[in-house]
Amino acid sequence: EMLGSLTTDRPLKAALQRVAKDINGGASLSDALSAHPQVFPPIYVHMVGAGEVGGTLPQSLERIAVYMETSQSLRERLMGAMVYPAVVLSVAVMAVGAILTFVVPVFAELFASEGLALPISTRVLLAASDITRDYWPAILVAVASVALLGRQILATEGGRRWSDFILLRVPVFGNLRRKAAVARLTRAMASMLHSGVMLSDVLLAAARISGSGEVEAAVMRARDSIHAGSDLATPLARAEILPPLLAQMVKVGEESGRLEEMLDKVADFFEMEVKAAID
């Protein structure tokens, strides 16, 4: 009730007020939180539930806070890294459009009055200028249509998988995206295991948090293998999208009974890799 009165975020305020009402009605905190998945993600609910069962709810909430802060910091770094090239690309497109529309036609008139024999590259540039100047409304409509179509495709499951497949293989940024996905995955797994969440639930929640469809699919295949009696390291080692270091550290963790500690070390490593790549 106190948190609900303090927050200015309307969806969060409404969710907290409802959670307080459900708890007063006899529900557990995890059950009350699970009714608001748009505010409290599965990792939150699983860790709270494990804390309630084990009597370690304060520690579980502290781990959730640390995980959320770390995840947010990583997300902000990634977004910040993308802003600069996006701005440069946008300015470059506008500059080229202005040159083709206003500057090149001046030279076209000069070349025409001199009757010069122009090389193919110059003729192509002049043609591009004519097209940009004469058909710019159609070009804008075409760009907007492609953007709208792309958005609709990405809204589908197949579209998201296709885009993820492409993005993970883009030079430089693909490797950065892969490392960030592994960092999110392992940090979430470690946080939940520290709180006592069952491994099957850990894999289900962490796979969705990774932010990569291919990584999620690989983790879900590993989850199916565990249900069939396998260890965790073996199916992770077979997943080409995941770095070998992850499977090796998981194997060490399983054999030593320190899986959550090894996952924390993997998360630390890949978070440092992401920060170095961004810098």
Side-chain angles (χ1 to χ4, degrees), residues 242-264:
L242 298 175
L245 175 65
L246 174 58
Q248 293 166 0
M249 294 291 278
V250 166
K251 183 177 181 180
V252 172
E254 288 181 313
E255 292 176 351
S256 63
R258 299 162 53 201
L259 180 57
E260 57 270 28
E261 294 180 30
M262 294 299 104
L263 288 169
D264 263 330

Side-chain angles (χ1 to χ4, degrees), residues 228-239:
S230 171
D231 61 356
L232 178 58
T234 300
L236 292 180
R238 289 198 297 262

Side-chain angles (χ1 to χ4, degrees), residues 216-230:
E216 179 179 349
V219 174
M220 295 306 293
R221 287 193 296 269
R223 183 172 181 262
D224 293 338
S225 297
I226 289 175
H227 289 166
S230 171

Side-chain angles (χ1 to χ4, degrees), residues 33 123 129 162 167 169 268:
L33 295 177
R123 294 201 299 272
S129 175
W162 175 81
L167 290 174
R169 287 156 180 82
D268 289 339

Side-chain angles (χ1 to χ4, degrees), residues 53-277:
V53 172
T56 58
L57 184 57
Q59 293 89 331
S60 292
L61 291 171
E62 181 67 26
R63 292 192 184 100
I64 291 172
V66 172
Y67 166 76
M68 292 291 186
E69 289 165 359
T70 304
S71 179
Q72 180 66 18
S73 175
L74 183 63
R75 186 179 299 109
E76 289 175 354
R77 280 178 169 270
L78 286 169
M79 292 300 294
M82 296 301 295
V83 167
Y84 178 73
V87 170
V88 170
L89 181 61
S90 299
V91 172
V93 169
M94 289 188 291
V96 170
I99 290 171
L100 290 176
T101 304
F102 303 108
V103 179
V104 173
V106 176
F107 288 95
E109 294 177 3
L110 176 62
F111 294 149
S113 64
E114 295 292 335
L116 299 174
L118 302 176
I120 183 64
S121 57
T122 306
R123 294 201 299 272
V124 169
L125 180 61
L126 294 177
S129 175
D130 292 338
I131 293 173
T132 303
R133 185 178 53 186
D134 297 338
Y135 300 102
W136 65 266
I139 293 174
L140 290 180
V141 171
V143 170
S145 300
V146 170
L148 181 61
L149 179 61
R151 184 176 181 180
Q152 292 177 338
I153 292 175
L154 293 177
T156 65
E157 184 65 25
R160 284 193 296 269
R161 289 183 179 179
W162 175 81
S163 66
D164 186 58
F165 178 86
I166 297 297
L167 290 174
L168 285 174
R169 287 156 180 82
V170 173
V172 181
F173 287 105
N175 193 36
L176 178 62
R177 181 181 174 87
R178 186 196 310 262
K179 290 178 179 178
V182 174
R184 285 192 293 265
L185 170 72
T186 50
R187 184 65 72 193
M189 290 177 64
S191 298
M192 285 188 281
L193 288 173
H194 275 300
S195 296
V197 181
M198 296 292 292
L199 182 58
S200 179
D201 293 333
V202 166
L203 294 173
L204 180 61
R208 297 171 180 171
I209 288 170
S210 68
S212 166
E214 284 203 62
V215 171
E216 179 179 349
V219 174
M220 295 306 293
R221 287 193 296 269
R223 183 172 181 262
D224 293 338
S225 297
I226 289 175
H227 289 166
S230 171
D231 61 356
L232 178 58
T234 300
L236 292 180
R238 289 198 297 262
E240 294 182 2
I241 196 65
L242 298 175
L245 175 65
L246 174 58
Q248 293 166 0
M249 294 291 278
V250 166
K251 183 177 181 180
V252 172
E254 288 181 313
E255 292 176 351
S256 63
R258 299 162 53 201
L259 180 57
E260 57 270 28
E261 294 180 30
M262 294 299 104
L263 288 169
D264 263 330
K265 292 183 183 295
V266 174
D268 289 339
F269 173 79
F270 281 105
E271 283 169 4
M272 288 190 297
E273 287 279 292
V274 169
K275 291 176 183 178

